[in-house]
């Protein structure tokens, strides 16, 4: 009977060792593991509101700084291909604000593997200047200006699905009478 017990113990050890083997292989594998921290967003936005209070009915300038992760680019506001989604800005609270003009920087023209012709794109830091009217009916001393940047990000191989990036800031309102500046 003694040999059967030794055989059972030996088989148990081999089974345990065998089941542990794939784990040790996967842990010591040379394949890079994914990062454990949260993924960094491809595009972020920073709003630079007007420095002084704005009068109702006045057109003011607001800067929107977009930061594009290295290795990616955004289609410009005129990407040069009707199938690509242009970068655009839209406001949510249209009862208080209206975009009169969006001034985008000069884009770069580049050729990518996935496209047959060069594309008009933005990389790195993109500063967009917005001329916005504070509507005359606004009576509050501060108003939240909220909107979204609609964009399509791509790398050198392919384009991602279009996305919307929300942004917001507070605009101080000058409620005292006086001439509106434009």
């Amino acid at each position: 009977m003694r040999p059967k017990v030794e055989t059972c113990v030996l088989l148990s050890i081999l089974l345990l060792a065998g089941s542990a083997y794939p784990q040790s292989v996967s842990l010591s594998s040379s394949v890079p593991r994914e990062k454990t921290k949260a993924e960094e967003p491809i595009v972020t936005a920073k709003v630079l509101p007007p420095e002084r209070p704005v009068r109702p009915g006045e057109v003011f300038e607001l800067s929107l700084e977009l930061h594009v992760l290295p290795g990616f680019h955004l289609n410009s506001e005129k990407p040069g291909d009707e199938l690509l989604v242009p970068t655009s800005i839209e406001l949510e609270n249209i009862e208080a604000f209206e975009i009169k003009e969006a001034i985008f920087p000069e884009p770069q023209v580049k050729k990518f593997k996935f496209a047959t012709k060069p594309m008009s794109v933005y990389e790195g830091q993109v500063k967009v200047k917005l001329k916005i009217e504070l509507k005359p009916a606004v009576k509050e001393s501060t108003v939240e200006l909220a909107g979204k940047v609609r964009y399509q990000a791509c790398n050198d191989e392919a384009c991602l699905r279009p996305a919307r990036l929300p942004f917001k800031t507070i605009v101080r309102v000058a409620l005292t009478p006086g001439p509106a500046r434009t």
Side-chain angles (χ1 to χ4, degrees), residues 43-133:
V43 182
T44 58
K46 179 181 177 183
V47 182
L48 302 173
E51 293 180 8
R52 62 173 182 76
V54 179
R55 297 188 191 291
E58 181 178 2
V59 174
F60 64 95
E61 287 187 5
L62 177 136
S63 292
L64 189 59
E65 291 182 357
L66 306 177
H67 298 275
V68 183
L69 201 61
F72 288 90
H73 61 268
L74 304 181
N75 296 328
S76 75
E77 78 282 12
K78 296 176 185 169
D81 186 331
E82 62 189 35
L83 298 177
L84 299 174
V85 176
T87 298
S88 63
I89 315 270
E90 56 193 46
L91 296 182
E92 292 178 354
N93 44 348
I94 58 173
E95 65 282 346
F97 299 100
E98 180 184 347
I99 295 178
K100 293 295 189 178
E101 184 179 10
I103 304 164
F104 287 86
E106 190 69 33
Q108 298 176 10
V109 177
K110 289 189 158 189
K111 177 77 174 88
F112 297 97
K113 293 178 187 177
F114 61 86
T116 58
K117 58 184 178 178
M119 296 171 41
S120 175
V121 300
Y122 298 122
E123 295 178 324
Q125 186 173 353
V126 183
K127 291 184 180 182
V128 181
K129 187 187 301 184
L130 300 173
K131 292 188 178 185
I132 300 173
E133 178 188 11

Side-chain angles (χ1 to χ4, degrees), residues 7-72:
T7 304
C8 287
V9 169
L10 183 59
L11 283 174
S12 296
I13 291 171
L14 289 173
L15 285 173
L16 287 172
S19 66
Y21 180 73
Q23 293 173 354
S24 64
V25 168
S26 66
L27 291 175
S28 64
S29 173
S30 63
V31 176
R33 299 181 66 87
E34 290 185 33
K35 294 179 182 176
T36 55
K37 67 177 188 171
E39 231 179 83
E40 192 174 351
I42 294 171
V43 182
T44 58
K46 179 181 177 183
V47 182
L48 302 173
E51 293 180 8
R52 62 173 182 76
V54 179
R55 297 188 191 291
E58 181 178 2
V59 174
F60 64 95
E61 287 187 5
L62 177 136
S63 292
L64 189 59
E65 291 182 357
L66 306 177
H67 298 275
V68 183
L69 201 61
F72 288 90

